[in-house]
Amino acid sequence: MSSASAASPTVFKDPPGGRKAVLVWSIGVAVYFVAVIFRTSLGVAGLEAADRFHVNASALSTFSLLQLLVYAGMQIPVGLMVDRLGTKKVLTLGAVLFTAGQIGFALSPSFGMALAARALLGCGDAMTFISVLRLGTRWFPARRAPLMAQLAGLVGMAGNLISTLVLAPVLHGVGWVPAFAGSAVAGLVVLVPLVLFLRDHPEGHEPAPQAGSGTRGFVRRQIADSWREPGTKLGLWVHFTTQFPAMVFLLLWGMPFLVEAQGLSRTTAGGLLTLVVASNMALGLVYGQIIGRRQSSRIPLALGTVAVTALLWGSVLAYPGDHAPMWLLIALCLVLGTCGPASMIGFDFARPANPAERQGTASGITNMGGFIASMTTLLVVGLLLDATGDDYRIAFSSVFVLELLGIAQILRLRGRALARERERVGAGTGAGVAAGTAVAAPQAPAPAPGVTAVAAAGAGAGAPVGPPDPQPAR
């Protein structure tokens, strides 16, 4: 055992929380809220985008695909940036980028320029959720961090509602350019308090400097050490398997499926998309309470969500009539609302598996899972629709393939991850949680943070909560 790992752990004073913490955290969450509105804005404009840029289903899916590709690809770099640069710098850069992307999307005269704008938006959006997670852990006592993550996710889902309930009618009323350019003003509004008032941590609670952070190979070691933990891998696959069915539905293909395949009006279809978001927000707190009381429920809850989602999707797609009955579509949308909260269980496996100085990197790796799955499904659905003459039953059947892959990986990794977690708790690395004190062994090669934090099962977003997004045609 190295001398670093043998050294007695350093005990750090827990952040105090309080009104100032709420104020600072609220600024960060407001940035995330605006990012979700921008991210999901294409969802309410999918059909209009197809007409504006004269593209088919495959090309239309490229918008969301590219945005998610950038988002997923940025997760590890963003995690490293948050760990090294701090929250304020990363959030500020993110706000500038996603605001520029929204303005660019409003003014783009061509499909290519619109794609570039969505990529820029995705890059900025990618910097928000992990930063907000870090704010929660830096400003609030350890026992409060999961709750703050849940609340951040709920605020993000409220951004989904704004897209559906506000941006959609504005778009139909005033047109493309005024609606998208006008919404970009929100990005400028949140930049002001972000620059003036947001702080990375309370005074006197500066994090310990990272050992070796300036040496060659630090980034490679940071990523490799995070990935080496079974809990990080399990977190990624839980996020992968649970998040994407709702995200694909909200981000792009829900509206065209409901309108073109199910014969609903746009108003009714929009109401069902809103139902997904409302279900997500309501069930997020339920998931959080269940996991907060019984961490042993994490795997059953994640797998149960996947099973029920698959059952409802299968029932809708296999319904013998031309259109599924409204009660079945409502049931599907209610169940899709569980996907966001379930995806947050992934962070509850990655968080206790990594020390404090790797939390951003581990969260970034985990957050990639659902977006990789969403990206893949978005593209496959578009290709299958074009290949089959808009046969939504065949196109949406691709959902089951990725769910089976994810389930297999979860079952493969759960034993090692849970055994490793028990070792850490048995070694006393989680003792600080009950006392509200963060315990860390800063220079140990594979130590644990002193926080065996409960996952923010209800955070929804990130989801990427990120997150899921409503989009008719994300």
Side-chain angles (χ1 to χ4, degrees):
M1 179 181 294
S2 67
S3 59
S5 57
S8 58
T10 303
V11 178
F12 302 102
K13 214 165 38 168
D14 230 12
R19 292 183 179 180
K20 186 173 182 179
V22 172
L23 174 63
V24 172
W25 177 83
S26 298
I27 295 171
V29 170
V31 177
Y32 176 55
F33 173 74
V34 174
V36 173
I37 294 176
F38 290 0
R39 179 203 306 168
T40 60
S41 60
L42 179 60
V44 300
L47 296 175
E48 289 80 1
D51 293 337
R52 179 178 176 84
F53 300 112
H54 309 291
V55 294
N56 60 14
S58 298
L60 182 61
S61 67
T62 306
F63 276 123
S64 297
L65 178 64
L66 178 62
Q67 185 178 337
L68 291 182
L69 178 63
V70 172
Y71 189 104
M74 286 290 294
Q75 289 308 294
I76 293 178
V78 167
L80 291 165
M81 289 170 64
V82 171
D83 285 340
R84 297 190 67 178
L85 302 179
T87 302
K88 181 173 183 176
K89 292 179 181 178
V90 177
L91 264 183
T92 301
L93 178 59
V96 170
L97 291 178
F98 67 60
T99 302
Q102 187 76 342
I103 294 173
F105 191 61
L107 304 177
S108 294
S110 66
F111 178 65
M113 291 186 66
L115 277 179
R118 294 304 287 186
L120 188 63
L121 192 157
C123 186
D125 180 22
M127 299 181 179
T128 58
F129 185 63
I130 294 176
S131 297
V132 172
L133 288 180
R134 172 55 64 91
L135 273 182
T137 61
R138 292 296 192 201
W139 278 90
F140 293 91
R143 65 184 182 277
R144 297 293 184 192
L147 174 62
M148 304 318 295
Q150 290 181 25
L151 293 176
L154 293 179
V155 172
M157 291 310 299
N160 270 332
L161 287 177
I162 294 298
S163 290
T164 304
L165 301 179
V166 178
L167 185 58
V170 170
L171 175 65
H172 299 145
V174 303
W176 183 278
V177 173
F180 279 96
S183 68
V185 173
L188 301 177
V189 170
V190 296
L191 261 175
V192 176
L194 170 57
V195 172
L196 294 179
F197 302 115
L198 191 134
R199 299 292 182 268
D200 288 347
H201 45 73
E203 186 176 352
H205 292 267
E206 294 79 3
Q210 296 187 47
S213 61
T215 62
R216 288 186 62 184
F218 169 77
V219 170
R220 184 176 63 252
R221 289 195 304 273
Q222 189 85 340
I223 296 172
D225 290 345
S226 296
W227 183 246
R228 190 175 296 118
E229 292 292 342
T232 305
K233 296 178 184 177
L234 179 59
L236 180 145
W237 282 106
V238 168
H239 200 268
F240 176 101
T241 313
T242 53
Q243 187 194 50
F244 79 95
M247 176 165 285
V248 168
F249 193 80
L250 292 171
L251 189 60
L252 184 63
W253 293 121
M255 181 67 79
F257 170 73
L258 294 172
V259 172
E260 297 175 0
Q262 297 301 317
L264 302 180
S265 67
R266 290 197 183 191
T267 301
T268 303
L272 288 176
L273 292 177
T274 303
L275 182 60
V276 177
V277 178
S279 173
N280 185 304
M281 297 176 69
L283 293 172
L285 292 177
V286 175
Y287 273 55
Q289 290 298 320
I290 293 173
I291 293 176
R293 294 176 181 178
R294 292 191 62 185
Q295 281 213 318
S296 60
S297 67
R298 288 174 297 175
I299 291 291
L301 197 55
L303 293 178
T305 299
V306 175
V308 176
T309 303
L311 176 64
L312 265 296
W313 256 126
S315 299
V316 169
L317 297 179
Y319 193 79
D322 292 336
H323 306 308
M326 180 57 70
W327 66 265
L328 186 54
L329 294 176
I330 290 174
L332 172 65
C333 291
L334 288 172
V335 168
L336 287 176
T338 66
C339 293
S343 72
M344 295 305 296
I345 298 174
F347 293 101
D348 193 39
F349 289 111
R351 187 182 294 115
N354 291 272
E357 62 268 22
R358 286 206 309 261
Q359 288 297 307
T361 305
S363 295
I365 293 173
T366 300
N367 209 28
M368 287 176 61
F371 292 96
I372 292 173
S374 299
M375 214 167 25
T376 304
T377 309
L378 282 169
L379 177 61
V380 170
V381 169
L383 292 174
L384 288 175
L385 286 174
D386 286 341
T388 61
D390 292 336
D391 189 327
Y392 281 90
R393 293 187 177 186
I394 295 177
F396 273 116
S397 294
S398 58
V399 168
F400 305 124
V401 177
L402 269 71
E403 285 185 327
L404 287 173
L405 172 62
I407 290 172
Q409 293 298 321
I410 292 172
L411 294 177
R412 181 178 69 87
L413 291 165
R414 63 175 179 171
R416 278 184 293 160
L418 294 177
R420 177 71 167 148
E421 194 172 290
R422 285 192 295 268
E423 289 175 9
R424 292 181 180 279
V425 174
T429 56
V433 181
T437 309
V439 182
Q443 297 182 350
V451 183
T452 53
V454 178
V465 257
D469 321 274
Q471 323 212 353
R474 314 64 77 193

